[in-house]
Structure formats: structure tokens, C-alpha cells
Amino acid sequence: MNEIDPARRFSIDAVRKFDGAASGDNLGVMNDVARQVASQYRRDTMSPIMVSGVLRMVEFTLLFLSGLCVYFYYVGFFSHLAWQYPLTIAAASFLAVVLLDVTDCYQVVSLMRPLANFGRLLLVWAGNFALMALTAFAMKMSEDYSRLFFGTWFVVGFMLIFALRLLMSKLIRRWARDGRMERRAVIVGGGTAAEALIRSVEKQPYNDIRICGIFDDRGDKRSPPIVAGYPKLGTVSELIEFARIARIDMLIVSLPLTAESRVLQLLKKLWVLPVDIRLSAHSNALQFRPRAYSYIGSVPMLDIFDKPINDWDSVAKRAFDIVFSIVGIIVFLPVMLVTAIAIKLDSKGPVLFHQKRHGFNNEIIEVYKFRSMYTDKADPTAKQTVTKNDPRVTRVGRFIRKTSIDELPQFFNSLFGSLSLVGPRPHAIAAQSHNLLYNEVVDGYFARHKVKPGVTGWAQINGWRGEMDTNEKIRMRTEYDLYYIENWSLLFDLRILFLTPIRLLNTENAY
């Protein structure tokens, strides 16, 4: 597990081991008002981090291309410095983006106020050219460069940057107004503490937080139905379903640190959700180091859980899935064709088997597999686990299940986006152990669904594949899946992907 800042008073282990309230897997049924509110937030929003990241790339490209155009105009396409100028332009454009980043010019507040930041932009751009001039002087290369070129590029480049930021300020304001660029938050816990928190958040200038409602287990006497103009939409158990329908980004727990038992009860229910969970610290007397907090404006928050594989990490993982899925399809296409012919010759029925399973955020997805059972004996719900010498499995089915060839069509699931190549293996929605659903066996089981499920995973290459005939096997698979989620990286994915063919040689538990 990743090292966690000591300031996190309520750790992941504390939440898992807490022996208090009901599990977060026990969902409440939302009332009609909460369901109506949740339906308004089904559409995904644009992350400010992603927007500013794309802007960095656009500004680098704009500066580089404008520099090349000025160079070609004044110096020409062919000169004795044909390689030196483009290299210098690229380096200067990159340095400008770095300096703009260091001076917080890519923060949403700065992007929304380009006129107020005019001086800072000009200073950064001028400082960039001063550094270039100093470098050229130190390397005795200043005479090789055209001063007219640099003077023209200075004016053109700054005009382009400033014009782009004027455009971005209009776009960001429009996106914020339309609800396309905002962080959606739910307050957990009502009463005066929640009201003080909401007032503090709303006071923040250029605030991108959209409060969607309040959830509290307490009755209306202790927790009013309306707090600071926001309705109480239900209990914390009902919040689980609400957060899975709405595209919620953040849960803010508005309880004092002194209410440790109650905070742990809440976190035990909420930690299974793929959202950021923050503990409001604006009214707590106990103070940590400043770096222990994150902030919404000037309102301090303690970071309890972060949404895994978020923002640029999700872009990198999706690109990883697309590239390696295409490679996998090309490499294994002959095997898939031979398998399809063998299945068709061996028994009647379709080549592919479609099964509904739990996907990201507990959504229902359809997973493709090669059919390994007789059509009239197939069990799409997976209530009855496949066992050794199971009479429902065909002759070809036994081989492809043992070698995991039946899973190869899931490369297409990964390519289309319902699965990832690497992640917790998706289980059928009615999968059972001793007449108990898996989430009834393992506390916090649905935390596996905080990321997309995978074609292969950390649990599978560590031997936890095949028949789940004991509660301990389910618990161990879940533990390995949670370890993967908490320690994800692209290198970790690569390691799992390349170890998978080797570990699949062990077919002891595959029937």
C-alpha cells in the first residue's frame, strides 16, 4: 500500500477494520427527489486539470509554430543555422510554458481573469527572452541570431498567448455556467457545521464547486431538511446509489475530528465509491501542518481518499488499453479463428457467450467470451460456479477454459472501453459462494469497482483465478484487487500484462 501522510487521521486501514456501522455495500433506496436530482448530473464534466493540461500543449504548439513562421519569413528556409533556429524556438517555447506553470498562470482563477494577469504574462514572456539572451551571450552565440527575428517573435508570440487566454476565459465562464466544467460535491452531515462549510465555500471567488445536496443519517430534528438553501436528499446509505447515478467528483464530510466513531462509520460506507473524499477542517480546533491540507479556495480539507486513476492517468491508461488491445487482437487473431471453428464443430450454438458483469462504479457491462458450455446448460448469471469435470462444459470448452483462450474476445471489450486490459477481474452480477453474493462475503467488496475491471489482473497472476469455492478465496482476490487499485501505475500494468502468459501456465484452479 502506498505511504500515506501521517496527518490523515482516518486511514484506509482504520476504515476497513472499523467494527461499527453497516457495510457500504448495503444500499439504500433513493427517494424520488434524490433520483431526480441525480439524473441532472449524469453527464460527465471537464476536469480543470485536463483543461489546463491541454492548454499547455496548445500554447507550446502555438508559440513553436509562430516562431517557425517568423524565422521562415525573416531568415528563410535555408541558411547555415537551419537546425539551430528551430531547436532554439522549441526550447524557448517549452521554457515559456514551464515558467507560466511555475507562476500559476494555468490555474483556473488566472485563466478566468486574463486582464488582471496581463502584467504577469508579459513579465514571464520577457523573462523567457532574457534567459535566452543570457544563454546565447554565455555560449558566445548571440551574434548568430537575428535581433529582428527575436523582436518580432516577442510581439507576435505574446499577442497570440494573450488572445488565446481571452478566448479561454470566455470558454471557461461558459462551461462553468452550463455545468460542463465544475467539481460536483455532496455534503455528508447536516446541521450548523454543514451550513458554516457551505457559506465558506460559496464565499470563495471564482469557485468551481457545485454542491448537489446533503446526505445525513440523522432525523430532521437534529439535521434540518434544508441547510443554507440546499436540500437533504437522504441518508448516507442512499448516497451510495446517488453517487453512482450522478457524476459526483467529491464527498465532503462535515463532521468534527472529535466525532471519530461517527466519521469512521461514514467512511466505512463511502470508501467504496470512485470519488475524492475530503474531511472538512474549517471549524476544527486541532491544526495540522499546512501541507497536510488541500484547499477549496481558502477552506482547508483533509484528504481521506482520492479517486484512483484520474485525469491524465486515465488518459494514459486508456491509450495503453487501445494500443495493447490492437496488438493483442492482431497477435491472437489466428488462435481466435481456430477456436471459433472448433467451438462450432464441437457443439451447437453461438461461438460467443455474452455475460452481464459489474463494471466501473458498479455499472452493468456485457463481457464477451468464447462459449465453453453447452447452450442449453449455460448459466449467464453464474450462480453455480464451474467445478472440476463439470458436465456443463464442452470438450473444447475444457481446453479453452484451462488455457484462458475463452477470454481472448475481451480484447474487444478493452478496445471499446467497457473493460481495461489490466484491472480487477469482473464478476457476474449474481456470482455466489455458498448461497451468498460476493459482496455479502467480503466487507467493502464493491471497492473493486472504483476502477474499470480488467481482462487480467494482479489477483490472477498471483494464483487467485478459477473456481471461487471458499470465502477465503474471494477475500484474497479482493485484497489483491484493492492493492492494485491503491498502487496503480503504467509500469505496474506492464508488469502484470507481461507476467500473465507465464502465470497462466499454472492451470491448477482453472476448470
Side-chain angles (χ1 to χ4, degrees):
M1 187 178 295
N2 289 336
E3 184 179 351
I4 299 174
D5 194 298
R8 290 193 183 184
R9 180 67 181 85
F10 306 102
S11 68
I12 295 171
D13 289 333
V15 173
R16 287 188 191 166
K17 295 176 181 177
F18 179 69
D19 192 22
S23 167
D25 301 337
N26 298 327
L27 303 183
V29 179
M30 283 196 302
N31 58 66
D32 291 338
V33 175
R35 191 173 299 278
Q36 185 177 359
V37 172
S39 66
Q40 297 174 9
Y41 299 109
R42 284 181 179 273
R43 188 175 63 173
D44 282 322
T45 58
M46 293 183 291
S47 163
I49 294 174
M50 297 290 288
V51 170
S52 63
V54 171
L55 181 62
R56 287 173 175 86
M57 292 186 286
V58 171
E59 286 194 336
F60 170 80
T61 304
L62 200 61
L63 291 173
F64 179 67
L65 292 178
S66 66
L68 282 182
C69 290
V70 174
Y71 161 68
F72 292 146
Y73 183 79
Y74 281 109
V75 183
F77 286 88
F78 304 102
S79 74
H80 68 289
L81 296 174
W83 65 271
Q84 197 167 307
Y85 264 96
L87 187 62
T88 301
I89 293 167
S93 301
F94 179 77
L95 180 60
V97 172
V98 170
L99 291 175
L100 288 169
D101 190 21
V102 169
T103 54
D104 293 331
C105 289
Y106 289 108
Q107 297 295 321
V108 173
V109 174
S110 297
L111 295 177
M112 293 178 71
R113 305 172 64 203
L115 292 176
N117 287 275
F118 180 90
R120 191 194 308 182
L121 288 172
L122 184 60
L123 184 63
V124 168
W125 187 233
N128 185 50
F129 274 73
L131 286 173
M132 283 195 296
L134 187 62
T135 303
F137 175 78
M139 298 178 67
K140 298 182 179 179
M141 298 169 58
S142 57
E143 294 182 357
D144 294 335
Y145 289 97
S146 165
R147 287 158 179 76
L148 183 60
F149 157 73
F150 278 109
T152 305
W153 188 35
F154 178 87
V155 175
V156 171
F158 182 76
M159 288 174 62
L160 288 173
I161 291 176
F162 190 68
L164 177 60
R165 285 173 177 257
L166 286 173
L167 175 63
M168 282 302 301
S169 72
K170 292 183 180 297
L171 288 175
I172 290 174
R173 289 174 189 275
R174 181 188 299 173
W175 293 335
R177 187 171 58 250
D178 296 343
R180 295 175 60 190
M181 184 177 170
E182 61 187 8
R183 286 184 293 168
R184 295 169 180 168
V186 165
I187 306 296
V188 183
T192 55
E195 182 175 3
L197 170 63
I198 292 170
R199 300 296 187 202
S200 297
V201 170
E202 288 182 337
K203 285 180 182 177
Q204 305 306 311
Y206 305 101
N207 182 17
D208 65 338
I209 295 292
R210 169 75 65 92
I211 297 174
C212 302
I214 298 167
F215 287 81
D216 197 345
D217 286 335
R218 295 174 298 177
D220 290 348
K221 288 185 178 180
R222 297 181 60 196
S223 177
I226 302 291
V227 178
Y230 294 92
K232 186 172 71 174
L233 298 176
T235 65
V236 175
S237 294
E238 293 166 353
L239 168 58
I240 306 296
E241 185 182 358
F242 179 90
R244 283 175 174 153
I245 294 175
R247 300 295 184 179
I248 299 299
D249 301 299
M250 183 187 304
L251 304 180
I252 304 176
V253 180
S254 176
L255 291 175
L257 291 173
T258 52
E260 179 175 347
S261 177
R262 188 159 171 240
V263 170
L264 285 171
Q265 286 178 7
L266 293 175
L267 295 181
K268 184 177 174 66
K269 294 180 180 182
L270 299 175
W271 76 285
V272 300
L273 293 171
V275 297
D276 295 330
I277 299 181
R278 304 289 182 253
L279 180 61
S280 170
H282 79 290
S283 61
N284 288 313
L286 180 60
Q287 297 294 316
F288 295 117
R289 299 184 308 274
R291 67 178 182 178
Y293 298 106
S294 62
Y295 291 87
I296 297 175
S298 60
V299 180
M301 302 281 172
L302 284 172
D303 297 351
I304 307 301
F305 296 108
D306 291 324
K307 181 179 180 179
I309 315 181
N310 199 18
D311 294 325
W312 287 104
D313 286 343
S314 66
V315 174
K317 187 166 176 62
R318 183 68 188 126
F320 178 95
D321 288 341
I322 291 172
V323 170
F324 282 95
S325 294
I326 292 173
V327 171
I329 290 169
I330 294 172
V331 170
F332 290 105
L333 186 59
V335 178
M336 288 192 275
L337 290 174
V338 171
T339 302
I341 295 170
I343 291 171
K344 207 66 180 170
L345 294 174
D346 184 49
S347 61
K348 295 180 180 179
V351 169
L352 291 179
F353 176 68
H354 299 236
Q355 189 175 56
K356 294 188 183 300
R357 299 190 178 188
H358 281 123
F360 171 70
N361 202 21
N362 232 35
E363 295 172 353
I364 305 302
I365 60 172
E366 196 169 64
V367 171
Y368 311 137
K369 296 181 68 176
F370 281 124
R371 181 175 59 83
S372 59
M373 292 184 177
Y374 294 103
T375 304
D376 58 341
K377 297 178 181 178
D379 179 19
T381 63
K383 284 186 177 180
Q384 184 181 345
T385 306
V386 176
T387 57
K388 193 172 184 177
N389 299 320
D390 197 312
R392 299 174 297 166
V393 181
T394 66
R395 288 175 300 171
V396 171
R398 285 193 180 88
F399 176 76
I400 63 176
R401 290 180 71 92
K402 214 164 187 54
T403 55
S404 292
I405 290 175
D406 64 324
E407 310 281 1
L408 290 180
Q410 289 170 27
F411 277 116
F412 291 97
N413 278 110
S414 176
L415 182 62
F416 299 148
S418 58
L419 290 183
S420 182
L421 268 182
V422 182
R425 287 289 296 141
H427 295 152
I429 56 178
Q432 295 184 356
S433 172
H434 303 97
N435 297 320
L436 290 175
L437 294 172
Y438 285 175
N439 65 288
E440 296 173 319
V441 175
V442 181
D443 193 22
Y445 169 83
F446 283 130
R448 301 172 72 252
H449 303 152
K450 292 203 285 187
V451 299
K452 277 186 186 179
V455 177
T456 183
W458 183 236
Q460 280 61 45
I461 69 166
N462 281 280
W464 301 104
R465 61 187 286 254
E467 184 182 5
M468 293 286 104
D469 55 347
T470 67
N471 292 351
E472 182 61 21
K473 287 183 178 180
I474 301 168
R475 290 191 186 96
M476 290 305 298
R477 179 180 285 190
T478 303
E479 280 299 313
Y480 274 88
D481 288 338
L482 296 181
Y483 177 89
Y484 166 80
I485 292 171
E486 292 160 11
N487 294 275
W488 175 85
S489 70
L490 281 180
L491 287 177
F492 198 9
D493 273 4
L494 267 175
R495 177 185 174 191
I496 293 170
L497 197 60
F498 286 113
L499 281 176
T500 295
I502 300 171
R503 300 297 171 87
L504 288 181
L505 294 175
N506 178 10
T507 62
E508 182 181 353
N509 296 323
Y511 310 134

